[in-house]
Amino acid sequence: MTSTEVHPASEPARWVYLDRIRTRPGPSTNPDVFSPEAAAAAMETMKILVIGAGGLGCEILKNLALSGFKDIHVIDMDTIDISNLNRQFLFRQADVGKYKAEVAARFVEKRVKGIKITPHNCKIQDFDEDFYMQFQLVVCGLDSIEARRWINATLVNMVDEDVEDSYKPLIDGGTEGFKGQARVIIPTITSCIECQLDMHAPRAAVPLCTLASIPRQPEHCIEWAHLIAWDQEKPFPQLDKDDPEHITWLYQKALERAAEFNIPGVTYSLTQGVVKNIIPAIAATNSVIAAACCNEALKIASNCAPALGFPEANYMMYSGNDSIYTYTFKHEKKDDCPVCGQLARNMDVDPTWTLRELVDSFAARPEAQLKKPSVRAEGRTLYMQSPPSLEAQTRPNLDRTLVELGLEEGQEIAVTDPAFATVTFKFKLKFKQ
Amino acid sequence: MLKIWSMKKEQQKAENAAEGTTGVAPKKKKVTAAQLRVQKDLSELSLGSTMTTEFPDPDNILSFILYIEPDEGMYKGGRFSFTFNIPASFPHEPPKVLCREKIYHPNIDLEGKVCLNILREDWKPVLNLNAVIVGLQFLFLEPNASDPLNKEAADDLRNSRDGFKRNVRQAMAGGSVRGETYQRVLV
Ligand SMILES: [Zn+2]
């Protein structure tokens, strides 16, 4: 054969090796669930949703397209910033200012023939359950815990025990510097993101009373400007973390506060970092984690090999901070998970605490991390942050102790926070002796 | 695709095997589902500058009063109040909402019953109190003649917007329209 007869770009040739993997059983393939025809058909017809088109999202979209998924949707509300170009390789300088989802979709569609990528330039919260119901699989590459918690709660709420198609497996990837994780969640069957929240130590969840009275670090001054000064002064109707004017306002407030307490180190970029919760990104960590997520997607879709998630391991952590280490384990589902469990979780409290101390403690609890909690017991409104009239009526309770408020050992309290609209936290009070 | 059903069966087998030793103790004063949901809805309420609430008993969040003072439209300058009574079956059933004043409005009758689609046939459990409040506010901005509870007011609106507007002002000042005397609601 001469070199002119070689078909380097022909599309069937592109999938030859992939087909060998997804349509032939391997040593660990479960023969009860695998069939080559079903595997090929599933990948042809399945609709897969990618959330996030940033560092992880670019990798995920490229990998899924090259893994043979044909009908991909992607959601991202962000537009391309010049600082993204070093690692978000689907974007070029000319794309700065355009929507990430749109540009990423068009780029991958151009490079991989025969696939369709539908971009959605909006927030995940703009869609309802009907939208999410059309997908068979969801892959998340997000940098925000709040967004992860939202999609997790939504997918868990969608489960209808009588409808197999209402269970949408969620594959979640995340990175932070040299560290990362990939996990598979089968809503209501395996441990969910909310069950696993203690895996993410709170970064800046400082109790409000510290922020309000005794800041010690530049971050405290910035959080004070962000959570307290902004609400008091409302310089703009709605805080837009991408608006330099808003960040500048917070920066100036934080500076004044830092000067008052003699704390050095408040800068504009630190303000931006704290307010937007910016996590340093390393391109190669994104590649590792996205690759792990997309291989799980391929296996879940085709059954060609057992996937992460059931019955044993469901969580893979990757650490490159100190040499290199990965560990795969089973994170147990929690019966008292506020999203997928039904039971209230136990909470150790000191009965001599004031309600204010209890309310502030929710910010520091790793499984809650609530900044604006409202608290009730059965038939008893302890403290509501909203509406204003109810806030004013319940405010005096903040200075009363739990005992004075008539709370008892074993009593259940319900905590809500506007940041987590679909979640209610239920705690059972355990009095310390 | 992953076989979710077979996974579920295995999970249930494991759960049944683990059960049996410890019975669940009766729960102490559990917060009811309706209260949980109302608490959640109240935490994310956005009232704006034209609305306020009043809770006669703050411990009972299932019952409150909403005040609306429209800052535009034909009902500007009035103060209207609605009682909200939320059934124990909420959010599977909508809140019961009544206007406390006798007012001249095509979608509110003389007893205070409110004709708002999401309070009746179009209610869905995914809707929240904010949706209801936005709907009520909208009734004052855009009274709707096509689905009336006060037929005469609706006829007036259909026949002449200006005439209707005059009637609204008259009724809000405590005057009568077509022989019916309305309550003064001007602030
Ligand atoms: Zn859970």
Side-chain angles (χ1 to χ4, degrees):
Chain A
M1 197 186 279
T2 66
S3 62
T4 52
E5 286 168 304
V6 176
H7 259 273
S10 77
E11 289 299 322
R14 179 171 222 159
W15 309 111
V16 166
Y17 296 103
L18 179 69
D19 278 340
R20 286 191 190 148
I21 291 172
R22 65 185 181 182
T23 60
R24 291 180 189 180
S28 307
T29 304
N30 178 353
D32 295 343
V33 295
F34 177 76
S35 93
E37 299 76 30
M43 300 202 49
E44 281 303 313
T45 56
M46 145 167 213
K47 247 188 198 179
I48 185 165
L49 174 66
V50 176
I51 300 181
L56 274 167
C58 282
E59 293 275 357
I60 290 170
L61 285 168
K62 175 258 292 173
N63 291 353
L64 291 179
L66 294 174
S67 301
F69 287 94
K70 295 281 164 64
D71 190 353
I72 305 172
H73 285 234
V74 57
I75 309 180
D76 197 311
M77 64 181 290
D78 280 344
T79 53
I80 297 161
D81 186 78
I82 187 116
S83 66
N84 302 144
L85 300 183
N86 68 343
R87 62 191 185 285
Q88 300 181 16
F89 55 88
L90 301 177
F91 311 141
R92 299 291 174 266
Q93 194 135 16
D95 299 323
V96 167
K98 296 181 189 160
Y99 282 110
K100 288 184 174 180
E102 184 75 39
V103 174
R106 295 293 91 89
F107 191 110
V108 176
E109 267 184 348
K110 212 162 73 190
R111 291 290 291 268
V112 187
K113 294 282 177 291
I115 66 162
K116 193 173 100 208
I117 304 188
T118 311
H120 303 278
N121 309 316
C122 59
K123 292 189 292 193
I124 52 175
Q125 291 88 347
D126 291 344
F127 291 114
D128 60 9
E129 294 190 357
D130 290 344
F131 173 82
Y132 291 105
M133 201 53 98
Q134 65 179 305
F135 302 100
Q136 281 81 54
L137 193 53
V138 179
V139 186
C140 258
L142 287 162
D143 58 4
S144 135
I145 293 188
E146 290 179 22
R148 278 199 183 88
R149 290 171 77 175
W150 189 88
I151 189 70
N152 176 64
T154 301
L155 295 179
V156 169
N157 283 341
M158 272 162 57
V159 167
D160 176 344
E161 291 199 337
D162 301 324
V163 182
E164 186 164 16
D165 191 42
S166 70
Y167 293 81
K168 311 292 180 188
L170 169 65
I171 303 173
D172 176 64
T175 68
E176 193 168 7
F178 283 115
K179 293 193 294 184
Q181 88 274 339
R183 48 188 164 173
V184 173
I185 290 141
I186 317 290
T188 72
I189 296 181
T190 65
S191 137
C192 79
I193 284 182
E194 205 72 24
C195 295
Q196 300 173 9
L197 205 57
D198 51 6
M199 302 298 290
H200 307 265
R203 274 165 62 87
V206 183
L208 273 176
C209 51
T210 302
L211 295 178
S213 52
I214 34 154
R216 295 181 306 276
Q217 294 166 5
E219 288 85 353
H220 293 167
C221 302
I222 296 167
E223 283 281 13
W224 173 85
H226 177 200
L227 297 173
I228 298 174
W230 182 280
D231 264 1
Q232 281 169 353
E233 301 183 29
K234 283 254 183 252
F236 304 93
Q238 190 85 46
L239 176 60
D240 177 356
K241 296 177 180 177
D242 292 316
D243 187 331
E245 211 183 327
H246 295 194
I247 298 290
T248 303
W249 188 91
L250 293 174
Y251 167 55
Q252 294 298 347
K253 279 284 153 191
L255 264 187
E256 287 168 25
R257 178 119 178 126
E260 191 184 327
F261 289 89
N262 237 332
I263 299 168
V266 173
T267 63
Y268 181 84
S269 65
L270 184 68
T271 308
Q272 209 178 18
V274 169
V275 172
K276 293 183 75 174
N277 219 348
I278 291 176
I279 295 163
I282 293 177
T285 313
N286 284 341
S287 311
V288 170
I289 295 300
C293 289
C294 293
N295 278 353
E296 293 319 298
L298 173 64
K299 291 188 286 176
I300 287 175
S302 69
N303 287 319
C304 67
L308 183 69
F310 199 83
E312 289 307 320
N314 52 19
Y315 195 113
M316 189 275 286
M317 56 148 283
Y318 168 87
S319 173
N321 273 346
D322 182 5
S323 186
I324 182 171
Y325 177 70
T326 81
Y327 181 53
T328 304
F329 62 99
K330 181 178 188 182
H331 198 292
E332 294 287 347
K333 189 169 180 297
K334 290 185 177 153
D335 289 339
D336 57 0
C337 169
V339 170
C340 74
Q342 274 95 51
L343 305 174
R345 67 177 70 198
N346 288 333
M347 180 179 190
D348 288 324
V349 295
D350 184 332
T352 64
W353 272 4
T354 61
L355 183 62
R356 187 187 309 278
E357 287 172 295
L358 181 75
V359 166
D360 281 349
S361 75
F362 294 119
R365 288 181 74 85
E367 80 277 22
Q369 303 174 35
L370 304 178
K371 289 178 176 171
K372 280 192 88 178
S374 291
V375 191
R376 292 190 75 256
E378 167 62 23
R380 191 73 210 270
T381 304
L382 297 166
Y383 182 63
M384 292 289 294
Q385 307 254 9
S386 156
S389 74
L390 200 50
E391 195 278 332
Q393 276 174 298
T394 54
R395 199 183 310 143
N397 286 346
L398 286 175
D399 294 317
R400 302 171 68 192
T401 68
L402 304 186
V403 174
E404 285 166 359
L405 288 164
L407 294 173
E408 297 166 13
E409 164 82 21
Q411 185 150 11
E412 192 176 296
I413 56 169
V415 185
T416 52
D417 188 298
F420 306 108
T422 47
V423 187
T424 309
F425 298 87
K426 286 185 274 182
F427 295 102
K428 207 192 255 179
L429 298 180
K430 292 279 163 202
F431 284 169
K432 286 182 210 156
Q433 295 306 313
Chain B
M1 188 59 200
L2 197 68
K3 297 289 183 285
I4 307 265
W5 268 175
S6 54
M7 293 176 52
K8 238 184 113 70
K9 262 182 232 141
E10 280 182 54
Q11 183 200 36
Q12 274 158 356
K13 239 187 278 170
E15 274 174 10
N16 291 343
E19 254 173 45
T21 44
T22 50
V24 183
K27 273 194 215 90
K28 204 169 191 175
K29 294 187 186 171
K30 204 174 173 300
V31 184
T32 67
Q35 286 187 35
L36 277 179
R37 175 55 194 271
V38 172
Q39 176 181 347
K40 206 183 302 184
D41 281 8
L42 291 176
S43 337
E44 52 191 283
L45 214 55
S46 56
L47 293 173
S49 57
T50 59
M51 292 180 283
T52 49
T53 53
E54 181 188 321
F55 287 78
D57 171 7
D59 285 336
N60 178 12
I61 56 173
L62 300 185
S63 171
F64 60 93
I65 301 160
L66 174 78
Y67 295 93
I68 304 184
E69 293 183 26
D71 60 358
E72 52 183 315
M74 292 182 268
Y75 291 86
K76 184 177 170 180
R79 176 174 159 98
F80 306 92
S81 64
F82 293 86
T83 54
F84 275 66
N85 277 301
I86 298 163
S89 50
F90 184 79
H92 300 289
E93 282 172 38
K96 295 187 173 26
V97 178
L98 274 181
C99 181
R100 301 201 306 169
E101 294 83 23
K102 182 176 170 188
I103 66 170
Y104 172 80
H105 191 295
N107 312 108
I108 298 174
D109 74 9
L110 301 180
E111 270 101 60
K113 288 202 211 70
V114 182
C115 180
L116 181 63
N117 62 335
I118 57 167
L119 283 176
R120 293 151 181 255
E121 70 278 6
D122 289 335
W123 173 259
K124 281 182 276 182
V126 294
L127 291 171
N128 58 15
L129 291 177
N130 226 13
V132 174
I133 286 171
V134 168
L136 289 176
Q137 198 181 19
F138 191 69
L139 282 184
F140 289 108
L141 295 178
E142 283 297 326
N144 165 12
S146 63
D147 190 14
L149 269 181
N150 181 336
K151 288 209 171 50
E152 287 166 345
D155 289 342
D156 294 343
L157 175 59
R158 237 192 316 265
N159 293 336
S160 152
R161 214 176 153 81
D162 283 338
F164 175 77
K165 210 165 158 181
R166 277 194 300 276
N167 291 349
V168 168
R169 303 315 297 183
Q170 195 156 323
M172 280 170 57
S176 358
V177 177
R178 294 189 184 218
E180 196 72 59
T181 307
Y182 291 92
Q183 201 169 331
R184 184 181 161 86
V185 290
L186 292 177
V187 281

